[in-house]
Amino acid sequence: MDRLFEFVVNHYILVSLFVAFLVAILILEARRGGAKVSAQAAVNLINKDEAVVVDIRDRKEFGEGRITGSVNIPLNSLKSRASELNKFKDKQIIVADKMGQHSAMAVKQLNAEGFTNVVRLNGGVSDWKASNLPLVKK
């Protein structure tokens, strides 16, 4: 540990450049996937009928439990089925996946298809469950 401190002191320019690049990468990655919305904010938008949830999990996971009123379009077929969402262009689209890891890619694809008001559910359906919010099983 003493050697690390010595390295930082002796090479402060190199270390400060490393920290600056690290911060820049973290900020870029956070912005790349679009805005995030919490589970509680998603509930408020859904209850006001201002948003629709697009669940990008596969059909099996979707069948195990889904957010009420959500539309299931798996991530691998999102590009070809994006036209199904045209009727929701005036509403905010909330993209939900299992844990929030793949929703950024879906937001990017929907933005490329011309949807401007797209956000992702922070933490995905697992965070929704952790917040004790209801899931419909059908």
Side-chain angles (χ1 to χ4, degrees), residues 56 75 95 97-107 120:
I56 60 169
L75 181 60
V95 177
D97 64 348
K98 187 173 183 176
M99 297 181 69
Q101 296 172 333
H102 304 291
S103 56
M105 189 182 314
V107 169
R120 55 190 172 137

Side-chain angles (χ1 to χ4, degrees), residues 37 92 100 109 138:
V37 65
Q92 183 157 27
Q109 287 181 6
K138 185 176 179 184

Side-chain angles (χ1 to χ4, degrees), residues 80-91:
S80 61
R81 294 179 57 190
S83 61
E84 295 176 24
L85 299 173
N86 283 338
K87 57 187 170 188
F88 303 118
K89 276 203 173 192
D90 58 331
K91 293 185 177 186

